[in-house]
Amino acid sequence: MAKCECCGKGVTFGIKVSHSHRRSNRTWKPNVRRVKAVVDGSPKYVYVCSRCLRAGKVTRAV
């Protein structure tokens, strides 16, 4: 579910490095919000990241 329906941003994988330099896998999830937006002229709930919301790529339905 951690995927933006507007830009397609999803989970990224990397390595967490501790102070003693022990390495373990970790994930970064995008800040996805469930938003009521206008899609194809009708209001619909979509999952959109906060960057797309701030940039105005999604028109909110009231």
Side-chain angles (χ1 to χ4, degrees):
M1 189 215 78
K3 188 162 195 136
C4 177
E5 294 182 22
C6 183
C7 65
K9 181 189 282 189
V11 178
T12 355
F13 298 95
I15 296 175
K16 176 174 65 176
V17 182
S18 70
H19 178 69
S20 62
H21 211 73
R22 291 180 63 97
R23 297 154 69 89
S24 59
N25 295 330
R26 67 155 293 181
T27 58
W28 284 270
K29 293 180 182 174
N31 190 3
V32 175
R33 302 277 172 224
R34 185 173 180 255
V35 170
K36 194 174 189 180
V38 176
V39 179
D40 297 328
S42 61
K44 180 184 171 185
Y45 279 104
V46 290
Y47 289 99
V48 183
C49 68
S50 60
R51 181 165 290 193
C52 289
L53 283 174
R54 283 202 319 264
K57 294 181 181 179
V58 177
T59 54
R60 302 279 299 258
V62 179

